[in-house]
Amino acid sequence: MLKIYNTLSRQKEEFKPIDEKTVRMYSCGPTVYSYAHIGNMRTYIFMDIFRRTLRYDGYKIKGVMNITDVGHLLSDGDEGEDKMEKASREQKKTPWEIAAFYTDVFFKDLAKLNIGKPEIIAKATDHIADMIEYVKALEEKGYGYEIDDGIYFDIDKFPSYGKLSRLNLEDQQAGARVEVNSQKHNPYDFALWKKAEPEHIMQWPSPWGQGYPGWHIECSTMSKKYLGEVFDIHTGGVDHIPVHHENEIAQSEALAGKKTVNYWVHGEFMLVNNGKMSKSLGNTYTISQLEEMGYSPLVFRYFCLNAHYRKKLNFTFEGMDAAKVSYERLLASLYQHKMSNEKTSQEVLDKYKKDFEDAINDDLNLPLALGVLWTMLKEPKSKDIYNLALDFDKVFGLSLNEAKEPEGEANKDIPEDILALAQKRFDAKKAKDFATADALRNEIKEKGYSILDSKDGFKVVKD
Ligand code: AMP
Ligand code: ZN
């Protein structure tokens, strides 16, 4: 039974899907105005681990991810330029060209990281008509009002506003966090639709004149369209809790008249050198940049899996170097199990499988699950262990099936007497004296070593 931490209740809860077989899940996708950085990728690795765990538990998934190619303004308070338009001006390309370029890079990065693509990818600009209908419906129900620069959501009509972030509106009212537009009824009211200035490139006709959608309406509209009014899981990074997801809840619940998402699940941030990642500090690395520096995307994935998704993860190159060494050791050890012809008892295998399942089902505890894998690899070399590791890899997504012979001189640190026994066994096998060969293999095993046969010889490894 999967337990997952629900941001709404601030508790680990037993996961019970609405439909017994298919889990419906919405994940906030990228704003495609620039390269996604490793922090963004941490959040998508978390989404992927969640999806893989659900599948490991036997569920099918209908997952939706949006691509924000319009409407995400520079500030979360509905002010500033549209991020797409800004990039378009700076790069002298149309916003559509910008979106197409960065969307393509984004999916290539996901593939490199073994992040499975959600079943439905929905672009905001393909759903403008749906969003207009949604805003109209909210207006009809009395939740929207028009001012000079757009249509706004009236949060005073939605008394539970702030429940996800446990925002105390009374304390916050005077706070300077939200820019105050003098025409807004409440500083927390947010734009459903913005009216466009003539020079705004991306604009569409609407009942309120030419304009473009607010950022939050995109997710409420597309989740309802593809997953229905009420669905199981919504994911995103923790930065989305206070504004974006709070606003999504207000829109969706106002329209539906009931709770629309059962589990809100958020991934913690990645820091760099214990601080915020930011372009101005020059510390927002991309997956391609890591590759250029000699770190494969799967080393980065391994680095991420070593931290629980609800803990901050500090990115450092020392940490990445350690992850690289560890990941290579993991593949080397797996290779030895792969080449072994020995067996492991079902009882032992069952125990590891249970430990693994307990770990992943306890709020996606991947660091613990990796610990189970490492302990299991310390067992005497056996093909069964290798096969079970591949089963675990359905969740890890670390391409463990690519375990290959580690580089370096074979049989380097093996004592002479063991090597002599191994040579005798090899000769016996060649002479088809299998009884002697088996006896020698057992003798070697008792001394704590295993023989791996290779095409033209043998290799001895310490158990
Ligand atoms: P954005 O394109 O800004 O909407 O961000 C895409 C996703 O990445 C969102 O789910 C964010 O919450 C997440 N995100 C942004 N910065 C970080 C970070 N430093 N660490 C982890 N996740 C992040
Ligand atoms: Zn969203």
Side-chain angles (χ1 to χ4, degrees):
M1 170 64 90
L2 173 63
K3 281 192 160 179
I4 194 78
Y5 185 87
N6 191 344
T7 307
L8 258 181
S9 66
R10 300 283 195 278
Q11 269 171 8
K12 278 194 219 175
E13 294 177 9
E14 279 189 5
F15 177 68
K16 290 199 197 88
I18 300 164
D19 178 290
E20 232 173 83
K21 288 216 178 72
T22 306
V23 173
R24 283 171 284 156
M25 177 168 182
Y26 188 91
S27 302
C28 285
T31 306
V32 283
Y33 68 108
S34 146
Y35 293 105
H37 57 60
I38 52 176
N40 304 132
M41 288 305 165
R42 182 189 186 201
T43 292
Y44 298 116
I45 289 173
F46 144 66
M47 170 200 80
D48 184 59
I49 290 300
F50 200 172
R51 287 168 50 86
R52 285 169 178 268
T53 299
L54 288 165
R55 262 202 240 106
Y56 195 88
D57 286 344
Y59 296 112
K60 285 203 171 69
I61 301 169
K62 185 171 183 190
V64 179
M65 181 193 269
N66 62 301
I67 299 290
T68 302
D69 52 2
V70 64
H72 195 169
L73 303 188
L74 287 173
S75 108
D76 278 344
D78 295 319
E79 302 295 327
E81 218 174 332
D82 185 314
K83 290 184 179 180
M84 298 301 301
E85 298 244 335
K86 181 166 184 284
S88 153
R89 213 167 21 74
E90 285 168 358
Q91 298 180 33
K92 301 200 169 37
K93 289 187 182 146
T94 68
W96 281 273
E97 284 167 341
I98 298 279
F101 177 79
Y102 290 112
T103 304
D104 183 53
V105 178
F106 176 71
F107 284 116
K108 284 189 176 133
D109 280 351
L110 291 197
K112 286 182 193 170
L113 290 163
N114 281 347
I115 298 173
K117 211 168 157 176
E119 289 63 28
I120 296 167
I121 303 295
K123 272 163 54 180
T125 50
D126 285 343
H127 297 79
I128 303 292
D130 297 312
M131 293 188 224
I132 291 174
E133 285 310 309
Y134 204 107
V135 176
K136 266 165 62 186
L138 280 174
E139 236 190 352
E140 275 157 26
K141 283 193 113 178
Y143 288 101
Y145 63 91
E146 184 166 356
I147 56 175
D148 287 350
D149 74 347
I151 310 297
Y152 281 75
F153 186 94
D154 193 345
I155 67 155
D156 291 331
K157 300 257 168 65
F158 186 75
S160 66
Y161 187 86
K163 66 180 169 187
L164 186 68
S165 46
R166 311 249 161 128
L167 192 71
N168 184 334
L169 283 185
E170 253 110 73
D171 291 352
Q172 300 267 333
Q173 284 286 3
R177 195 183 64 85
V178 179
E179 281 114 297
V180 182
N181 172 329
S182 60
Q183 290 185 324
K184 288 206 286 191
H185 299 175
N186 181 312
Y188 280 90
D189 290 352
F190 56 90
L192 298 167
W193 182 266
K194 289 278 276 192
K195 296 180 187 174
E197 302 291 333
E199 65 274 17
H200 202 96
I201 309 166
M202 302 178 101
Q203 49 174 288
W204 291 264
S206 80
W208 317 282
Q210 287 292 117
Y212 57 96
W215 171 36
H216 323 294
I217 200 72
E218 155 189 357
C219 292
S220 287
T221 303
M222 303 200 291
S223 60
K224 175 168 181 267
K225 174 165 181 159
Y226 294 107
L227 300 176
E229 207 165 48
V230 184
F231 57 97
D232 299 297
I233 300 167
H234 197 311
T235 72
V238 287
D239 59 324
H240 283 346
I241 299 172
V243 179
H244 183 49
H245 289 166
E246 209 67 88
N247 294 352
E248 255 191 81
I249 289 177
Q251 296 167 153
S252 302
E253 294 194 2
L255 193 66
K258 59 185 168 199
K259 186 163 118 178
T260 57
V261 175
N262 287 342
Y263 303 88
W264 282 91
V265 190
H266 292 97
E268 246 304 346
F269 254 38
M270 173 167 270
L271 308 175
V272 174
N273 294 325
N274 278 316
K276 200 173 147 47
M277 243 185 258
S278 94
K279 289 237 166 69
S280 57
L281 294 172
N283 63 7
T284 56
Y285 305 102
T286 64
I287 293 301
S288 300
Q289 283 170 332
L290 290 189
E291 280 181 294
E292 280 159 24
M293 294 163 111
Y295 302 101
S296 79
L298 292 186
V299 165
F300 177 70
R301 184 177 173 105
Y302 181 79
F303 175 78
C304 289
L305 296 195
N306 275 286
H308 190 262
Y309 78 91
R310 283 198 291 118
K311 293 241 162 69
K312 288 192 177 63
L313 173 56
N314 187 29
F315 178 91
T316 60
F317 284 102
E318 293 78 61
M320 281 293 284
D321 288 335
K324 190 174 172 181
V325 170
S326 218
Y327 182 58
E328 276 162 14
R329 269 196 205 134
L330 183 64
L331 293 186
S333 169
L334 271 160
Y335 178 78
Q336 298 183 350
H337 286 280
K338 179 180 174 181
M339 300 313 287
S340 163
N341 293 316
E342 301 291 326
K343 303 207 81 43
T344 303
S345 78
Q346 195 56 45
E347 202 186 331
V348 170
L349 295 172
D350 287 348
K351 181 191 160 293
Y352 285 113
K353 185 157 166 93
K354 182 174 183 308
D355 289 351
F356 173 78
E357 286 176 358
D358 286 349
I360 59 169
N361 285 324
D362 181 13
D363 196 25
L364 315 178
N365 195 336
L366 268 292
L368 189 60
L370 277 176
V372 174
L373 174 66
W374 275 110
T375 311
M376 180 172 91
L377 292 178
K378 294 202 184 94
E379 291 282 340
K381 304 289 173 286
S382 122
K383 186 74 157 231
D384 295 329
I385 298 275
Y386 173 72
N387 286 332
L388 188 52
L390 292 196
D391 177 64
F392 295 176
D393 200 40
K394 289 177 192 157
V395 176
F396 293 133
L398 288 168
S399 295
L400 298 183
N401 58 336
E402 282 172 16
K404 32 183 192 305
E405 192 163 12
E407 285 165 19
E409 211 182 311
N411 300 335
K412 203 170 126 234
D413 298 318
I414 308 296
E416 284 299 322
D417 58 324
I418 304 288
L419 283 177
L421 284 173
Q423 184 64 48
K424 256 169 91 181
R425 174 194 164 266
F426 182 70
D427 295 339
K429 206 175 142 209
K430 239 168 65 184
K432 297 209 172 356
D433 179 1
F434 297 115
T436 308
D438 281 351
L440 284 163
R441 176 191 277 274
N442 287 340
E443 193 180 335
I444 293 167
K445 185 110 222 131
E446 271 157 30
K447 293 183 195 269
Y449 293 85
S450 287
I451 300 179
L452 314 178
D453 288 320
S454 55
K455 274 199 303 303
D456 39 13
F458 61 87
K459 199 168 158 188
V460 184
V461 292
K462 203 169 181 336
D463 281 336

